[in-house]
Amino acid sequence: MDLPPPRASFASDNASGAHPDVLAALAAANEGHAPAYGGDAWTARALDAFRDLFGGEVEVAFCWGGTGANLVGLQCLLAPYDAVICPDTAHIHVDECGAPERFTGAKLLDVPTADGKLRPEHVTDQLHLLGDMHHVQPRVVAITQSTEQGSLYTPDEIAALTEVAHANGMRVHLDGARIANATAALGGDVRSFTVDAGVDVLTFGGTKNGMVHGEAVVFLDAELGRMAPFVRKQAGQLPSKMRFVAAQFEALLAGDLWLHNARHANEMAQLLAKRVDGAPGVTITRPPEVNAVFATIPPAALAPLQAWSHFYVWDETTTEVRWMTSFDTTADDVERFAAGVVSLVDQHAGL
Amino acid sequence: MDLPPPRASFASDNASGAHPDVLAALAAANEGHAPAYGGDAWTARALDAFRDLFGGEVEVAFCWGGTGANLVGLQCLLAPYDAVICPDTAHIHVDECGAPERFTGAKLLDVPTADGKLRPEHVTDQLHLLGDMHHVQPRVVAITQSTEQGSLYTPDEIAALTEVAHANGMRVHLDGARIANATAALGGDVRSFTVDAGVDVLTFGGTKNGMVHGEAVVFLDAELGRMAPFVRKQAGQLPSKMRFVAAQFEALLAGDLWLHNARHANEMAQLLAKRVDGAPGVTITRPPEVNAVFATIPPAALAPLQAWSHFYVWDETTTEVRWMTSFDTTADDVERFAAGVVSLVDQHAGL
Amino acid sequence: MDLPPPRASFASDNASGAHPDVLAALAAANEGHAPAYGGDAWTARALDAFRDLFGGEVEVAFCWGGTGANLVGLQCLLAPYDAVICPDTAHIHVDECGAPERFTGAKLLDVPTADGKLRPEHVTDQLHLLGDMHHVQPRVVAITQSTEQGSLYTPDEIAALTEVAHANGMRVHLDGARIANATAALGGDVRSFTVDAGVDVLTFGGTKNGMVHGEAVVFLDAELGRMAPFVRKQAGQLPSKMRFVAAQFEALLAGDLWLHNARHANEMAQLLAKRVDGAPGVTITRPPEVNAVFATIPPAALAPLQAWSHFYVWDETTTEVRWMTSFDTTADDVERFAAGVVSLVDQHAGL
Amino acid sequence: MDLPPPRASFASDNASGAHPDVLAALAAANEGHAPAYGGDAWTARALDAFRDLFGGEVEVAFCWGGTGANLVGLQCLLAPYDAVICPDTAHIHVDECGAPERFTGAKLLDVPTADGKLRPEHVTDQLHLLGDMHHVQPRVVAITQSTEQGSLYTPDEIAALTEVAHANGMRVHLDGARIANATAALGGDVRSFTVDAGVDVLTFGGTKNGMVHGEAVVFLDAELGRMAPFVRKQAGQLPSKMRFVAAQFEALLAGDLWLHNARHANEMAQLLAKRVDGAPGVTITRPPEVNAVFATIPPAALAPLQAWSHFYVWDETTTEVRWMTSFDTTADDVERFAAGVVSLVDQHAGL
């Protein structure tokens, strides 16, 4: 194709780098010596920022990455004979190379869903396992917000899940690798679908929203995080020079940069969907709610389009593809990418 | 005490921040989009730099932190019924909250040593376990270079260990969190005590030598690293935006900055030892070989000295303390810290 | 109900006790002292009997129970980042309280099947995971023969599975808790669907076929069993006084008692199906191939029938129940149980 | 040597078979069908017998073997970042192929002792680890009664250990593979050194005291055993036909057969020690308290003596050997074995 590819990748939101303010904060934290492992001033301030955000007495553990943060959060909720109920599209089930089972010993009970979202009946369907020693014991309901399929839970939907979970002795874990995109899409109130909806533990993503590295595990029920320091260390998730993670989070939360970044990424996805919708052979399969566009494209267009600007196929049987936008995806990137899509599907639509 | 404390901490070499060149390289890597998980140009170049350093076809896995790097390296060598022979002062035994056993399932057979260094007889002492199904099977000899006690193996000492290990079906793992300090102290030839001495796998520390974050696992026998990508992912040690780790390593290896940093830290330890030696009640317990000074001090001086400038006690029964220097410890820091030590032990020596 | 319940339970084949010949062999092994852990004459003879049965140089590890035997067999095939493809009705998936994941670290990829039987396409469907470090790596295809749903693989069906497995670097594990029932049903040639069909490792059930305790793991590829002694010990599956397990197996294999027992149990299931088929509201849902009868019954009859003679519900939504026969179930037991079923469904069919 | 070897082995107390009464009880339990997994009448009666023995509301879990019973008991007390303080001669440390670490994830902190017995200072020596996230957290004090070295704790010694353990948030686990020998040696009151001394969980050995198979985990603090059914199942330690384990325990506890057996074994050890003491080059190294005799013998006598009647060397450097007696070792066995020892050491003493 003659069109130059966009400067930005639509493969994933971790193809982007760091937001300039975040990078500046990291650099500014390189100031003299400071106690390692979290005994520094940046960490103290970042913890306060999280307490301001979620209220009250939450416990927070900064970790290296998303898989690691999920491990730390889940381990604090699970005995090895327990089970986690999750959608069969969950990152913990599909994309973490079995780390959750390996680390916790527990089993994932993955259930098929239409849209990556659990419903209360998915939980009640497993209740017959409770109390029978031959079966793992459902103890955690694990959801992702926004989901791996770009869908969103409403606060009420999450509250309905936590209600059935708590009523049956279970806890709710929310994988928030893209919690910022979800919050932005839901109007900006992160408490509405977390602490107010009864979620027990969540991860708060930094990497996909403009940080160099770093994720946070937030124990909304602080008691659940009591042993988190030991869990985190044993999981290999304790950042040595923690100030560099904390300083980035401080910058991300300051002035709601996290929401600003996420809102922009979401808008770019809306724009992309609008631009490619109606192109020959292209069907938007899910109205974009956050920063992902899912669409089916003509099979023959797939390879040349990937060669021009790489992205991932979501479902090979239907040639459904996933395009992700980032905090730094520009409107120009979107226009250029959309133009390439339109041009290539045009050539291949009838094939 | 009236003396102002030094700007630098002598508690640990991870109290320091990042070297300016390393930080600049990290910032420079924040350039547009790049494939995540290592498919970027920085990672390709950093891997080449490691191949230049160690020769041939080594496999390298960049990881988040030191404990994580040890987990990845060890896991590639161990079945769960295996055992690791290590000194009872090893970081993997004492300071990793049981992560190695937890992750690998294997057992650490820790042996007391005079100076943190294993000898061949420590290995042969365990050979009676081989082949008996009631006992874990010694499979890895794990050493640290430089050791947690600030001592150094000569290349010949390591070669003697690898020889007895290999002759008995074992592999040798070298924890190189401070491999730069060791290399500098041994004259600058890192191959002499690693690949040339028969070491199979090592970790190459970045964090304690001027990086924001990042460690490398180097499989000198590349075949041992064949499954490392899966092990690393399952261990939660796969950096998402890997370019930021790689760019730092690239800067650290370029122009031998890693050796420059380490040599300086080592010299500061020498200076500190010289300055405090002979102070009342102070005895240097081990001639400093790298960037650590171990000394016994008057018990009554301990608390006030720690209150003035924090550091760790190594042995409470003898009031042996450990002072660490870093790549950015200045001569002025040393002079100021030594002055404080001399002043306080002077006050407390007779007590 | 006025009818006396049968002497035998139709709940499970482990409700039965031991065959008299097996018990006599166990008692006869109580003769003086003998080396523990398998160094005795009974174990040597029982191993020979297994080699006679499967041919050549198979390795055999006697274990305590069925879950334990599965653990030992699977562990010898798996690294912790690997995966096991199995039906979602597999005992290892449903009934072992997560022990396989806990012990091996690997993940079970469970797939829905119509009848408890894997087909080659279930394996090929997972091949896209191979080589991608974000995903567990399919390494074992796990089947049960006869299955938990009472169905049977033909030798050709198993050969087709092993072919696709081996072609893709996987191994095949056969859970043979009821291998005797399968062998009897298939005409008596156990090699036809195991060693001749390319199976790599199987468990050979003793408990459900007339033993007090004991299962065997048979490594048809002996090399795979090389480390089994260590795996077994670490799994807590090494019988201390192993002669008592071995003597029972010796008796079970002698004169084909294992096949005699299984054939009888199978026949009793046929008889039961014949007797209840056609009763009001009773539908045999699967023609009984081994020692299990699956039938739907009138919902209202379930509770009184269970109260009269306990058994398990297989599917609550359809009131499908499972009735198991044993080596010692008598025709009189069957007639009496069938009479009770007929009588009770008759009373409740219209409700 | 011309002397015929004894009928009994002095290698280990699991070289013996089953006591006739125990075997008869096992055979008598082979009566019709009974619910599996413990829902039978024999299990109910055996549980009652344990409650009679230990008082009150203890929870009991019957398991397959000694290693498995230790796994179940320990797992109920441990999180994976915890640690177990034990003597470096403990069975869990030396003889279980790393199963405790593998299963629980926790670390064993093994300490050298003079006689296989922990003292309170061994516990207090580890208290500095508490609360520091870099270190495993001491949570269990694990003792063996009688110990692997044939020594005995007095009730007061155990009470002193439980006191320091409980005062520091730890629990006490007692490996009672030979609890019968200990009880017999201490005068018959098993409560005196267990429930009355504050022990939290113990294993109660059956195999080494006349059973075919079977060990019991006794949760003296019943709350600790609440999840034991799940732990046991996941550990592969749930006996399917549990009545056969339970019936044996019922027979063993009835009429104090367990104490009778143990007392006899202890007496045979006393007799053996008396007979060989004073033979040329033979020194009894520890006065036999239970059913083990430890002695140094002339090095040159070792091989011929083992060839004549096998036993184990305890310490190769001093040619200290271990001779074990069993419930069924006869005085004639002892006399014959002692005669052989005396004869052979006589020949080799001067060499």
Side-chain angles (χ1 to χ4, degrees):
Chain A
M1 188 155 54
D2 288 340
L3 279 171
R7 188 191 126 283
S9 166
F10 291 78
S12 179
D13 35 8
N14 59 14
S16 61
H19 188 279
D21 292 0
V22 169
L23 190 60
L26 182 154
N30 193 31
E31 182 192 287
H33 282 202
Y37 307 120
D40 62 89
W42 293 268
T43 299
R45 289 197 304 267
L47 293 179
D48 281 346
F50 272 103
R51 294 204 178 96
D52 286 348
L53 187 60
F54 288 101
E57 291 299 311
V58 304
E59 280 292 333
V60 180
F62 296 130
C63 293
W64 290 120
T67 294
N70 280 333
L71 294 181
V72 170
L74 289 170
Q75 178 64 84
C76 289
L77 302 175
L78 288 165
Y81 43 81
D82 286 342
V84 177
I85 303 172
C86 66
D88 63 5
T89 45
H91 196 270
I92 57 172
H93 180 62
V94 177
D95 299 304
E96 300 188 353
C97 200
E101 293 95 330
R102 169 80 178 282
F103 188 64
T104 68
K107 191 177 180 81
L108 303 193
L109 298 172
D110 59 302
V111 298
T113 68
D115 53 4
K117 290 166 61 178
L118 281 185
R119 266 81 186 178
E121 57 268 30
H122 293 126
V123 178
T124 50
D125 277 357
Q126 306 291 338
L127 295 183
H128 66 283
L129 300 174
L130 287 174
D132 183 333
M133 67 183 165
H134 296 273
H135 306 312
V136 287
Q137 298 296 292
R139 191 73 60 208
V140 169
V141 174
I143 60 178
T144 309
Q145 171 84 319
S146 59
T147 74
E148 294 78 2
Q149 292 180 263
S151 54
L152 273 174
Y153 291 90
T154 66
D156 283 352
E157 287 173 332
I158 292 182
L161 279 168
T162 64
E163 191 178 355
V164 68
H166 293 168
N168 290 285
M170 296 178 228
R171 297 291 195 163
V172 176
H173 179 274
L174 184 151
D175 180 339
R178 295 189 182 99
I179 196 172
N181 304 92
T183 307
L186 287 167
D189 181 1
V190 73
R191 292 194 195 182
S192 67
F193 64 89
T194 58
V195 62
D196 295 347
V199 169
D200 296 292
V201 177
L202 61 85
T203 63
F204 190 99
T207 313
K208 288 188 161 79
N209 196 27
M211 278 174 56
V212 166
H213 71 304
E215 308 280 310
V217 185
V218 184
F219 298 91
L220 299 173
D221 178 343
E223 177 61 20
L224 294 171
R226 203 170 46 88
M227 302 311 274
F230 301 98
V231 171
R232 177 175 60 178
K233 175 63 191 172
Q234 207 182 36
Q237 289 296 318
L238 175 64
S240 170
K241 298 179 175 176
M242 199 185 286
R243 55 170 147 163
F244 291 117
V245 173
Q248 292 180 77
F249 267 123
E250 208 187 343
L252 199 67
L253 295 186
D256 282 343
L257 177 60
W258 67 294
L259 285 177
H260 171 86
N261 280 355
R263 202 174 297 121
H264 175 78
N266 292 357
E267 287 165 2
M268 291 301 100
Q270 298 280 351
L271 180 62
L272 176 58
K274 192 154 66 171
R275 285 294 182 268
V276 298
D277 199 13
V282 173
T283 305
I284 300 296
T285 47
R286 319 164 203 254
E289 300 189 83
V290 284
N291 63 325
V293 176
F294 288 84
T296 49
I297 64 170
L302 178 61
L305 201 45
Q306 284 182 310
W308 176 72
S309 180
H310 185 68
F311 56 86
Y312 291 100
V313 179
W314 192 254
D315 184 336
E316 306 221 7
T317 60
T318 57
T319 325
E320 186 182 26
V321 302
R322 187 193 72 166
W323 297 319
M324 301 294 300
T325 54
S326 292
F327 76 93
D328 64 349
T329 306
T330 64
D332 180 67
D333 291 327
V334 171
E335 298 292 356
R336 224 194 285 183
F337 186 69
V341 170
V342 169
S343 163
L344 273 163
V345 297
D346 208 39
Q347 290 172 43
H348 295 280
L351 303 181
Chain B
M1 189 155 54
D2 289 340
L3 278 170
R7 187 191 128 282
S9 167
F10 290 80
S12 179
D13 33 9
N14 58 14
S16 61
H19 188 279
D21 292 1
V22 169
L23 190 60
L26 183 154
N30 192 32
E31 181 191 288
H33 282 203
Y37 306 121
D40 62 272
W42 294 267
T43 299
R45 289 196 305 268
L47 293 179
D48 281 347
F50 272 103
R51 293 203 179 98
D52 285 349
L53 188 60
F54 286 102
E57 291 299 311
V58 302
E59 280 293 334
V60 180
F62 296 130
C63 293
W64 291 120
T67 293
N70 280 334
L71 294 183
V72 170
L74 289 169
Q75 178 64 83
C76 290
L77 302 175
L78 287 165
Y81 43 81
D82 285 342
V84 177
I85 304 172
C86 66
D88 64 5
T89 46
H91 196 270
I92 56 171
H93 180 62
V94 178
D95 299 305
E96 301 188 352
C97 201
E101 292 95 332
R102 170 82 178 282
F103 188 64
T104 68
K107 191 178 179 82
L108 303 193
L109 298 172
D110 60 301
V111 298
T113 67
D115 52 5
K117 290 166 60 179
L118 281 186
R119 266 79 185 180
E121 57 268 28
H122 293 127
V123 179
T124 51
D125 277 358
Q126 306 291 338
L127 296 183
H128 66 283
L129 301 174
L130 286 174
D132 183 334
M133 67 183 165
H134 296 273
H135 306 313
V136 287
Q137 297 296 292
R139 190 73 59 207
V140 168
V141 174
I143 60 178
T144 308
Q145 172 83 322
S146 58
T147 76
E148 294 78 3
Q149 293 181 264
S151 54
L152 274 174
Y153 291 90
T154 66
D156 284 352
E157 287 173 333
I158 292 181
L161 280 169
T162 64
E163 191 177 355
V164 68
H166 293 167
N168 291 285
M170 296 178 227
R171 298 290 196 164
V172 176
H173 180 273
L174 184 151
D175 180 339
R178 294 188 183 100
I179 197 172
N181 302 92
T183 306
L186 287 167
D189 181 1
V190 72
R191 293 194 194 182
S192 68
F193 64 88
T194 58
V195 62
D196 295 348
V199 169
D200 296 292
V201 178
L202 60 84
T203 63
F204 190 99
T207 314
K208 287 189 161 79
N209 197 27
M211 278 173 56
V212 166
H213 70 303
E215 307 279 310
V217 185
V218 184
F219 298 90
L220 299 172
D221 178 342
E223 176 62 20
L224 294 171
R226 204 169 47 88
M227 302 311 275
F230 302 97
V231 171
R232 177 175 60 180
K233 176 63 192 174
Q234 207 182 37
Q237 288 297 317
L238 175 64
S240 171
K241 299 180 175 176
M242 200 186 285
R243 56 172 148 163
F244 291 116
V245 173
Q248 292 180 78
F249 267 123
E250 207 186 346
L252 199 66
L253 296 186
D256 282 345
L257 176 61
W258 67 295
L259 285 177
H260 171 86
N261 280 355
R263 203 173 296 122
H264 175 77
N266 292 357
E267 286 166 3
M268 291 301 99
Q270 297 281 349
L271 180 62
L272 176 57
K274 193 153 69 171
R275 287 294 182 266
V276 298
D277 198 14
V282 173
T283 304
I284 302 296
T285 47
R286 319 165 203 252
E289 299 189 82
V290 284
N291 64 325
V293 175
F294 288 83
T296 50
I297 64 171
L302 178 61
L305 201 45
Q306 285 182 311
W308 176 71
S309 180
H310 186 68
F311 56 85
Y312 291 100
V313 179
W314 193 254
D315 184 337
E316 304 221 7
T317 60
T318 58
T319 326
E320 186 183 26
V321 302
R322 187 193 72 165
W323 297 319
M324 301 293 300
T325 55
S326 293
F327 76 93
D328 63 349
T329 306
T330 64
D332 179 67
D333 290 327
V334 172
E335 299 292 355
R336 224 192 285 182
F337 185 70
V341 170
V342 170
S343 164
L344 273 163
V345 299
D346 208 41
Q347 289 172 42
H348 295 279
L351 303 182
Chain C
M1 190 154 53
D2 289 340
L3 279 171
R7 187 192 128 283
S9 166
F10 290 80
S12 179
D13 34 9
N14 58 15
S16 61
H19 188 279
D21 292 1
V22 169
L23 190 59
L26 183 154
N30 192 32
E31 181 192 288
H33 283 202
Y37 306 119
D40 62 90
W42 293 267
T43 300
R45 288 197 305 267
L47 293 179
D48 281 346
F50 271 103
R51 293 203 179 97
D52 286 349
L53 188 60
F54 287 101
E57 292 300 311
V58 301
E59 280 292 334
V60 180
F62 297 130
C63 293
W64 290 120
T67 293
N70 279 334
L71 294 182
V72 170
L74 288 169
Q75 178 65 84
C76 288
L77 302 174
L78 288 165
Y81 43 81
D82 286 342
V84 177
I85 303 171
C86 65
D88 64 4
T89 45
H91 196 270
I92 56 172
H93 180 63
V94 178
D95 299 304
E96 301 189 353
C97 200
E101 291 97 330
R102 170 81 179 281
F103 189 63
T104 68
K107 191 177 180 82
L108 304 193
L109 298 171
D110 60 302
V111 298
T113 67
D115 52 6
K117 290 165 61 179
L118 281 185
R119 266 80 185 180
E121 57 267 28
H122 292 127
V123 179
T124 50
D125 277 357
Q126 306 291 336
L127 296 183
H128 65 285
L129 301 174
L130 287 174
D132 183 333
M133 67 184 165
H134 296 272
H135 306 312
V136 287
Q137 298 296 292
R139 190 74 60 209
V140 168
V141 174
I143 60 178
T144 309
Q145 172 84 319
S146 59
T147 75
E148 294 79 2
Q149 293 180 263
S151 54
L152 273 175
Y153 291 90
T154 66
D156 283 352
E157 287 173 332
I158 293 181
L161 280 169
T162 63
E163 191 177 355
V164 69
H166 293 167
N168 290 285
M170 295 178 229
R171 298 290 196 164
V172 176
H173 180 273
L174 185 151
D175 180 339
R178 295 189 182 100
I179 196 172
N181 302 92
T183 306
L186 286 168
D189 181 1
V190 72
R191 292 194 195 183
S192 67
F193 65 88
T194 57
V195 62
D196 295 348
V199 169
D200 296 293
V201 177
L202 61 83
T203 63
F204 190 99
T207 313
K208 288 189 160 79
N209 196 27
M211 279 174 55
V212 167
H213 70 304
E215 308 279 310
V217 185
V218 183
F219 297 90
L220 299 172
D221 178 343
E223 176 62 19
L224 293 171
R226 203 169 48 88
M227 303 311 276
F230 302 96
V231 170
R232 177 175 60 180
K233 177 62 192 174
Q234 206 182 37
Q237 289 296 318
L238 175 65
S240 170
K241 297 179 175 177
M242 199 185 286
R243 56 170 148 163
F244 291 118
V245 172
Q248 292 180 76
F249 267 123
E250 209 187 344
L252 199 66
L253 295 186
D256 282 344
L257 177 60
W258 67 294
L259 285 177
H260 171 86
N261 280 354
R263 203 173 296 122
H264 175 78
N266 292 357
E267 287 166 2
M268 291 301 100
Q270 297 282 350
L271 180 62
L272 176 57
K274 193 154 66 171
R275 285 293 182 270
V276 298
D277 199 14
V282 173
T283 304
I284 301 296
T285 47
R286 318 165 205 254
E289 300 189 82
V290 284
N291 64 324
V293 176
F294 288 83
T296 50
I297 65 170
L302 179 60
L305 200 45
Q306 284 182 310
W308 176 71
S309 180
H310 185 68
F311 56 86
Y312 291 101
V313 179
W314 193 253
D315 184 337
E316 305 221 8
T317 61
T318 57
T319 325
E320 187 183 25
V321 302
R322 188 193 71 166
W323 297 319
M324 300 295 300
T325 54
S326 292
F327 76 93
D328 64 349
T329 306
T330 64
D332 180 66
D333 290 328
V334 172
E335 298 292 356
R336 223 192 287 184
F337 186 69
V341 170
V342 170
S343 162
L344 272 164
V345 298
D346 208 40
Q347 290 173 42
H348 294 279
L351 302 183
Chain D
M1 186 153 57
D2 288 342
L3 278 171
R7 186 192 128 282
S9 166
F10 290 79
S12 178
D13 33 9
N14 58 14
S16 61
H19 188 279
D21 292 0
V22 169
L23 190 60
L26 182 155
N30 193 31
E31 181 190 287
H33 283 203
Y37 307 120
D40 62 89
W42 293 267
T43 300
R45 288 197 305 267
L47 293 178
D48 281 347
F50 272 103
R51 293 203 179 97
D52 285 349
L53 188 60
F54 287 102
E57 291 300 311
V58 302
E59 280 293 333
V60 180
F62 296 130
C63 293
W64 290 120
T67 294
N70 280 333
L71 294 182
V72 171
L74 289 169
Q75 178 64 83
C76 289
L77 302 174
L78 288 166
Y81 43 81
D82 286 341
V84 177
I85 303 171
C86 65
D88 64 4
T89 46
H91 196 270
I92 57 171
H93 180 62
V94 177
D95 299 304
E96 301 188 353
C97 200
E101 292 95 332
R102 169 82 178 281
F103 189 64
T104 67
K107 192 177 178 81
L108 304 193
L109 298 172
D110 60 302
V111 298
T113 68
D115 52 5
K117 290 165 60 178
L118 281 185
R119 266 80 186 180
E121 57 267 29
H122 293 127
V123 178
T124 51
D125 277 357
Q126 307 291 339
L127 296 183
H128 66 284
L129 301 175
L130 286 174
D132 183 334
M133 66 182 166
H134 296 273
H135 306 312
V136 287
Q137 298 297 292
R139 191 72 60 208
V140 169
V141 173
I143 60 178
T144 309
Q145 172 82 319
S146 58
T147 75
E148 294 78 3
Q149 293 182 263
S151 54
L152 273 174
Y153 292 89
T154 65
D156 283 353
E157 287 173 332
I158 291 181
L161 279 168
T162 63
E163 191 177 356
V164 68
H166 293 167
N168 291 284
M170 296 177 227
R171 298 291 197 164
V172 176
H173 179 273
L174 184 151
D175 180 340
R178 295 189 182 99
I179 196 171
N181 303 92
T183 307
L186 286 167
D189 181 1
V190 71
R191 292 193 195 183
S192 67
F193 64 88
T194 59
V195 63
D196 294 348
V199 170
D200 297 291
V201 178
L202 60 84
T203 64
F204 190 99
T207 313
K208 288 190 161 78
N209 196 27
M211 279 174 57
V212 166
H213 70 302
E215 308 279 311
V217 185
V218 184
F219 297 91
L220 299 172
D221 178 342
E223 176 62 19
L224 294 171
R226 203 170 47 88
M227 302 311 274
F230 302 97
V231 170
R232 176 175 61 179
K233 176 62 191 173
Q234 207 182 37
Q237 289 296 318
L238 175 65
S240 170
K241 298 179 176 177
M242 200 185 285
R243 55 171 148 163
F244 292 116
V245 172
Q248 292 180 77
F249 266 124
E250 207 187 347
L252 199 66
L253 296 186
D256 281 345
L257 177 60
W258 67 294
L259 285 177
H260 172 85
N261 280 354
R263 203 174 296 121
H264 175 78
N266 293 356
E267 286 167 2
M268 291 300 101
Q270 298 281 350
L271 180 62
L272 176 58
K274 193 154 68 171
R275 286 294 181 267
V276 299
D277 198 14
V282 173
T283 305
I284 301 295
T285 48
R286 319 166 203 254
E289 299 189 83
V290 284
N291 63 326
V293 176
F294 288 82
T296 49
I297 64 170
L302 179 60
L305 200 46
Q306 284 182 311
W308 176 70
S309 180
H310 186 67
F311 55 85
Y312 291 101
V313 179
W314 193 253
D315 184 337
E316 304 221 7
T317 61
T318 58
T319 324
E320 186 183 26
V321 302
R322 187 193 72 166
W323 297 319
M324 300 294 300
T325 54
S326 292
F327 77 92
D328 64 349
T329 307
T330 64
D332 180 66
D333 291 327
V334 172
E335 298 291 356
R336 224 193 286 183
F337 185 69
V341 170
V342 169
S343 164
L344 272 163
V345 299
D346 208 40
Q347 290 172 41
H348 294 280
L351 303 182

